Amino acid sequence: MIGVPAAGAVTTALLVLAGLGVVAAAAFAVRRRVGGWGLETRVVAVAAGLSLAALPWIAWRFAEDLATTTRYDAYTRANAGPIQAYLPGYLADGARARIPPGATWAVAVGSSQANPVAQKAFPALVLITLFPRPSAPPGTASWIVGWGAPPASIVPVSRAVVVHPRQGPLPPVTVAKTRR
Amino acid sequence: MIRDAFGLLLLNALWLAAGLGVTSAAGWWRGRGALGSLGVSYLVGVAAYGVVAQLLLILGLSLGTGEVVAVCAVLAAGVGVRRGGPAGRLRRPGPAGWVIVVALAVLAVDLWFQPLWAYDAWTFWTPKAHALAALGGLDAGWFTQPALANRDYPLLFPAIEAAGFRFTGYETGLLDLQSLAFVAGLLLAFAEIVVPRAPRWAAVIPVLIVVSPSLADQLASAEADLPLAAFFACAAATGYLWGREGDPAALVLFGVLAAGVAATKAEGTPFVVALTIVLAIAAARRYRAAAAVVAAGAAALAAGILPWRLWVGHHHVPEQASFGRVTDTTLLHAQASRVPLAVRYLAERLVDPRAWLVLVPLLAALTALAWWRGRRGEGALVAALVLLCLLSLVLAYWTSQFEIHYHLATSARRVITAPILAWAFLVPLLFAPNDAFTPQRYPQEP
């Protein structure tokens, strides 16, 4: 679930208290039946009781998640994946405008101040942004998309163009046609 | 989105019809028994469709809307093949059943608002499905490109999502609800296979499954681990029934579901191997029964994964989990320090109450109780199945090309789902009285 935060100390304490209350109520309700239960049934009942103690916490998770997801706007809903990876969903849109349909591409990702998860996810963002253009090994790709590394660092290219400027810790996105 | 949801509902009805055809042809039910076989039939329908779809995609078909309907119609035609089977009925849900219905409704509301956000889902599962639908099938240029993650993963799950896109348009917001349908099918299958045979307390186990935080987390992630777990748990249960009752229908369904397991994810293949080995050992004294289960397991692997492996090899796509890697003694020695890390991490995830509450300790305690009650052979085999599956995961982490801490942190919580759910299906059956099973048509021993 995307919208569940870590519970604070007060919330945790309240959830634990509520859970103990649920277990106490359940134990009270079944107190007269326990005598007739076999060993397996008692073991399962203990497990069910312990799980009941988590019921308020589980309910709290759903409430927090719904409170978050029902507030999403259309952009966040459509780009939740890249956003979770610390990438704006529009970061590679400029590359799509420049790289013609049917062309192949490769990505050059260099070290930057961007989150490591973002650096790992950037090729996937380019993949879905440039769909259906397929990627290719740098040696055979006709275009290079650079992010934190100049396209010329992996193969000879013509003039590189910035298609998205630097944005906070995110380096600019550059695009260049390879020279053969 | 509401109109798209009706499209998804229609597709799931087609899969159910396909599954009813397969289960009827196998002799799993007759007459009104269809109503008591909806969960098993649904899972069998999805697995059969997925395996056939993978094969057709490899053969070059585009699997447009008409072809999806045609595949389901051909499978559903099995309804006309009446081979007998029990005329079971749909039971009214007890208190546990109603708790499950309420829990599924709450999950449905939550998933309705869930966007596509999980890393594996947006980086390769859903893009693969989108490509299958938008590019008119398995475009080799796109599916072998270097920027695509996990190119060697089999196609069942993307093929299922792609079929959904044929009926809903490119609506990623409904993928989580599709996952919920797999879970609903799984819980119904538990009610059909386990509850009628096991003691009354067994009805609590699906409740513990459906309220587990890990289930909600995985449902919201739209990844392939839940369908794999659903197929595997149901395959384990039908395979167990073959061993106890000798019903050929159970053996056929075991084969179909196991093929679905192998066609869903890379770890599906070792899971099917482990399950086949355990079932064969369980039937070892009945030579033909053991040979039949081995043949069914082999046929499942041949149908579920072999065509895809041939395609991957033909297109020179590097394989992450190859026989070469797991038998490379240099690699095994160099990465030996990963073994204790992986064992410890998997063990922690298994008993983490924030994931599965107390389900795994409960299953362990019940397995030990079954041993204590005299079901030693079966208890040992169930424990062996779980351990073999976990060992295959340890081997995967041991030989993985990824950084171990990252790999464990991003996948361990998900990949343990299949062995846990299979365990949850099998443990109550260990306590079933002998007269709960109806021995039928075992192959005659020479």
Side-chain angles (χ1 to χ4, degrees):
Chain A
M1 297 156 103
I2 191 172
V4 182
V10 176
T11 307
T12 303
L14 289 173
L15 290 171
V16 168
L17 277 175
L20 291 175
V22 172
V23 172
F28 183 77
V30 299
R31 70 190 187 287
R32 287 188 183 146
R33 297 187 197 170
V34 177
W37 288 352
L39 182 57
E40 291 86 4
T41 308
R42 290 182 186 201
V43 168
V44 173
V46 168
L50 290 171
S51 302
L52 269 179
L55 204 58
W57 173 65
I58 292 166
W60 172 82
R61 293 178 88 240
F62 277 106
E64 288 287 334
D65 192 48
L66 279 168
T68 303
T69 55
T70 51
R71 279 202 298 261
Y72 281 161
D73 57 23
Y75 166 75
T76 308
R77 189 165 291 283
N79 296 281
I83 290 169
Q84 285 292 302
Y86 309 99
L87 289 168
Y90 50 79
L91 191 64
D93 283 1
R96 184 174 54 211
R98 189 158 286 268
I99 299 176
T104 57
W105 53 274
V107 170
V109 178
S111 58
S112 68
Q113 291 183 321
N115 187 291
V117 176
Q119 294 182 37
K120 185 174 181 301
F122 182 75
L125 176 65
V126 179
L127 177 93
I128 60 173
T129 304
L130 294 184
F131 183 86
R133 304 165 184 83
S135 61
T140 58
S142 49
W143 291 80
I144 304 295
V145 181
W147 197 55
S153 65
I154 53 171
V155 287
V157 296
S158 57
R159 189 175 63 89
V161 176
V162 174
V163 294
H164 191 281
R166 175 179 296 280
Q167 183 178 333
L170 307 178
V173 179
T174 54
V175 167
K177 191 167 187 345
T178 54
R179 267 204 321 251
R180 299 275 176 242
Chain B
M1 191 160 154
I2 290 174
R3 206 171 75 177
D4 294 336
F6 280 109
L8 193 66
L9 211 56
L10 175 61
L11 175 62
N12 279 275
L14 287 172
W15 284 334
L16 177 60
L20 285 168
V22 176
T23 49
S24 173
W28 182 252
W29 58 271
R30 64 180 163 84
R32 291 185 180 178
L35 291 175
S37 309
L38 295 178
V40 175
S41 294
Y42 173 75
L43 291 179
V44 166
V46 177
Y49 170 82
V51 171
V52 171
Q54 175 174 261
L55 187 62
L56 295 178
L57 287 164
I58 290 169
L59 293 174
L61 270 72
S62 62
L63 284 190
T65 311
E67 288 158 313
V68 172
V69 173
V71 169
C72 292
V74 169
L75 293 170
V79 171
V81 182
R82 299 184 184 279
R83 299 188 57 185
R89 58 188 171 82
L90 190 63
R91 291 157 190 269
R92 291 182 63 178
W98 287 113
V99 171
I100 289 170
V101 169
V102 170
L104 288 175
V106 172
L107 282 165
V109 172
D110 185 70
L111 297 175
W112 181 262
F113 294 100
Q114 206 75 208
L116 181 73
W117 61 272
Y119 188 85
D120 282 7
W122 78 267
T123 57
F124 70 89
W125 284 123
T126 306
K128 282 183 178 183
H130 183 207
L132 288 177
L135 303 179
L138 186 60
D139 183 310
W142 197 89
F143 275 84
T144 59
Q145 62 174 312
L148 179 63
N150 296 318
R151 284 170 285 168
D152 61 330
Y153 276 20
L155 277 186
L156 181 143
F157 190 61
I160 284 171
E161 287 192 341
F165 293 153
R166 297 290 191 193
F167 282 75
T168 67
Y170 186 50
E171 176 53 81
T172 58
L174 291 172
L175 297 175
D176 301 329
L177 286 171
Q178 179 56 65
S179 297
L180 186 66
F182 299 137
V183 170
L186 177 78
L187 297 172
L188 257 181
F190 190 98
E192 293 159 13
I193 297 176
V194 181
V195 171
R197 295 174 173 87
R200 287 181 66 189
W201 53 255
V204 174
I205 287 181
V207 176
L208 296 183
I209 291 172
V210 80
V211 299
S212 291
S214 182
L215 188 89
D217 289 340
Q218 291 188 60
L219 280 169
S221 300
E223 292 167 329
D225 302 272
L226 271 181
L228 179 129
F231 297 151
F232 187 63
C234 207
T238 49
Y240 182 87
L241 284 190
W242 162 249
R244 291 298 299 269
E245 300 185 344
D247 181 0
L251 184 68
V252 171
L253 301 194
F254 158 74
V256 174
L257 290 160
V261 173
T264 304
K265 277 191 83 185
E267 61 262 35
T269 298
F271 286 177
V272 170
V273 171
L275 180 57
T276 305
I277 290 171
V278 166
L279 292 173
I281 292 173
R285 289 181 185 171
R286 301 181 302 268
Y287 167 74
R288 287 191 179 176
V293 88
V294 170
L301 291 175
I305 196 63
L306 187 62
W308 176 246
R309 287 288 162 214
L310 292 174
W311 190 91
V312 163
H314 178 71
H315 289 90
H316 310 293
V317 174
E319 295 185 41
Q320 296 173 43
S322 67
F323 187 71
R325 286 186 74 82
V326 298
T327 53
D328 181 349
T329 50
T330 310
L331 178 76
L332 291 171
H333 185 260
Q335 299 192 159
S337 61
R338 291 175 162 215
V339 175
L341 274 174
V343 170
R344 184 178 166 186
Y345 199 92
L346 287 171
E348 286 174 354
R349 296 287 75 75
L350 282 168
V351 297
D352 185 352
R354 295 167 301 175
W356 292 101
L357 300 175
V358 292
L359 182 62
V360 171
L362 171 65
L363 296 174
L366 288 172
T367 308
L369 268 174
W371 173 279
W372 187 59
R373 294 278 194 213
R375 294 280 175 111
R376 300 201 165 173
E378 289 180 42
L381 285 171
V382 169
L385 172 64
V386 177
L387 287 174
L388 277 175
C389 290
L390 295 174
L391 277 175
S392 75
L393 294 174
V394 170
L395 187 60
Y397 287 116
W398 186 358
T399 57
S400 159
Q401 58 189 314
F402 300 114
E403 198 277 317
I404 184 68
H405 295 285
Y406 173 82
H407 199 184
L408 284 167
T410 53
S411 62
R413 66 186 170 78
R414 296 182 277 111
V415 296
I416 57 175
T417 306
I420 289 176
L421 295 187
W423 199 5
F425 264 64
L426 294 177
V427 159
L429 291 172
L430 296 177
F431 293 89
N434 284 332
D435 60 4
F437 299 96
T438 47
Q440 315 184 20
R441 302 170 283 264
Y442 256 131
Q444 293 298 308
E445 297 299 328

